[in-house]
Amino acid sequence: MIVNPEPRDCKICSGPSPLFGVIDFHKSCIEAQGKRLPLSGRPIYYRRCTDCGFTFTDEFDDWSAEAFLAHIYNSSYIHVDPDYASARPLSNATAIANTFLASRDSIAILDFGGGNGIFASHLVAQGFTATTYDPFSGFNERPSRRFDVITCFEVMEHTPFPTRTAAEMCELLADNGIILFSTLTQPADFDQQRLHWWYAGPRNGHVSLYSRESLTILFQQLGLQLFSISELVHVAFRRLPAFAAHLVREGHS
């Protein structure tokens, strides 16, 4: 495949996004553990916006759901993300249950991109109202209601179209609700690490790598404020509801 060397528009802010680097398709997040897959021989080019810092590949923009299931989210996926099947959803569900225990009887939770549904099932077992929506799983029927809390763990880096994905979550969000999501933002030395950063892993489906600024712009365009609890965990909201006030530090408007 011949890649156009000219800058293209950023998928978030439309700023110029020249080529940033290239890595093999088999680069995965398990390299952080010192493990490497054999080279695939397929180059994956990433671009970086010179305005907001959003870094992305357009290699998979025209892939069908079937292509993703065949080549990324297949039976070998567990080798590059061993925690996704149960350890992560159980850990996340425990954290969410503890975070919103006081509001358990008054909030409805949607796990967006929730895979096998373990996260929501664990919350239901603890007395919460929770459900799963994930177009790439058996839970692919779009909900007809809106939710007070939308969780979205390790999903945003997988979407080739972040504005579309964020907009879909916003449509499912109650007016006084929050989106609580995780995606690791670029480290301070990203200019030096570039695509050697462990989180840049096309074999994991990590096609979108966010700067803090690009995440803020993404949700501002949809009328939401963004508060980052850490480099990994973020909260987006139109108006911060009382049940989530403890997530955001004092002084944030």
Side-chain angles (χ1 to χ4, degrees):
M1 183 187 72
I2 299 175
V3 175
N4 186 348
E6 296 301 315
R8 61 159 290 183
D9 291 347
C10 174
K11 295 180 178 181
I12 292 178
C13 76
S14 299
S17 303
L19 289 174
F20 181 67
V22 58
I23 47 180
D24 187 79
F25 173 66
H26 274 177
K27 184 177 183 295
S28 75
C29 295
I30 61 170
E31 292 190 8
Q33 304 165 25
K35 303 175 183 178
R36 290 181 181 270
L37 299 175
L39 290 173
S40 72
R42 179 174 185 175
I44 306 296
Y45 290 84
Y46 284 73
R47 299 176 178 274
R48 191 182 192 199
C49 177
T50 58
D51 288 346
C52 75
F54 180 57
T55 302
F56 62 95
T57 177
D58 45 21
E59 174 73 18
F60 310 104
D61 286 8
D62 59 355
W63 276 29
S64 64
E66 291 74 20
F68 278 103
L69 290 171
H71 301 292
I72 293 181
Y73 309 119
N74 52 28
S75 59
S76 298
Y77 185 77
I78 196 165
H79 298 306
V80 295
D81 188 3
D83 292 338
Y84 93 95
S86 62
R88 187 183 303 123
L90 287 174
S91 174
N92 288 339
T94 298
I96 291 297
N98 292 336
T99 299
F100 297 111
L101 184 61
S103 307
R104 178 173 56 188
D105 299 329
S106 61
I107 62 173
I109 300 173
L110 173 67
D111 191 27
F112 189 97
N116 55 20
I118 287 179
F119 173 92
S121 296
H122 193 61
L123 286 177
V124 169
Q126 296 182 70
F128 285 84
T129 298
T131 191
T132 303
Y133 172 57
D134 188 333
F136 289 98
S137 76
F139 300 92
N140 57 6
E141 184 174 344
R142 193 176 189 274
S144 57
R145 60 164 296 175
R146 297 199 293 170
F147 296 84
D148 305 291
V149 177
I150 295 178
T151 55
C152 181
F153 293 112
E154 297 298 295
V155 172
M156 290 300 292
E157 65 273 15
H158 293 263
T159 175
F161 306 106
T163 299
R164 185 185 306 173
T165 300
E168 188 171 12
M169 285 193 285
C170 288
E171 291 171 359
L172 295 167
L173 184 67
D175 289 339
N176 290 320
I178 65 165
I179 299 172
L180 180 60
F181 68 101
S182 69
T183 190
L184 194 59
T185 49
Q186 297 166 11
D189 64 347
F190 187 54
D191 280 327
Q192 287 72 49
Q193 288 197 56
R194 302 179 78 84
L195 297 179
H196 294 294
W197 184 35
W198 72 270
Y199 204 63
R203 180 61 187 86
N204 286 75
H206 288 194
V207 299
S208 294
L209 307 173
Y210 302 87
S211 64
R212 188 73 64 87
E213 181 181 0
S214 65
L215 273 184
T216 299
I217 293 171
L218 173 62
F219 284 95
Q220 279 181 344
Q221 291 172 341
L222 296 165
L224 276 68
Q225 299 181 59
L226 182 78
F227 177 77
S228 291
I229 297 173
S230 67
E231 292 182 342
L232 177 66
V233 182
H234 319 275
V235 185
F237 52 89
R238 299 182 184 96
R239 293 182 297 275
L240 187 66
F243 70 79
H246 61 295
L247 296 176
V248 178
R249 64 170 176 258
E250 293 182 9
H252 177 72
S253 58

